[in-house]
Amino acid sequence: MADIAAVLGRLTPEEVQGLRACGPAGHLPRDLTDALDRAAGGPGSGRGYYVPSGSVSDTGRPHLVLRSDVSDWLFGNAALLPQGSKDD
């Protein structure tokens, strides 16, 4: 999996702001999962950066949230993670 900083660095400022607006465990709208996919290399490539939360929307689509280490990096807790940590 690509480096978190590199993938998030490929997002537009508006997309990063959108992720921040969702909060560390907020449900990601489709436009943000699409942005993560694009930043990670193409359709479906961002799936390692977001995970199902365990609930579903009214349309039956799983609610997706940032993976915990991605959330930690984005919200300032990355220093707490050991180098190369893979928290699923």
Side-chain angles (χ1 to χ4, degrees):
M1 182 176 301
D3 179 41
I4 294 169
V7 170
L8 295 183
R10 292 184 198 109
L11 297 172
T12 67
E14 293 80 14
E15 291 164 343
V16 172
Q17 183 56 38
L19 291 174
R20 289 185 182 280
C22 288
H27 298 153
L28 302 174
R30 183 170 300 259
D31 64 318
L32 292 178
T33 59
D34 289 347
L36 286 165
D37 286 347
R38 176 187 43 77
S45 296
R47 288 192 180 132
Y49 295 90
Y50 53 84
V51 294
S53 69
S55 61
V56 296
S57 70
D58 292 339
T59 62
R61 180 179 183 257
H63 287 136
L64 302 170
V65 297
L66 291 173
R67 196 179 69 212
S68 61
D69 59 338
V70 176
S71 179
D72 287 345
W73 191 95
L74 184 64
F75 291 94
N77 298 321
L80 301 176
L81 294 173
Q83 189 70 11
S85 174
K86 292 186 179 179
D87 181 5
D88 291 329

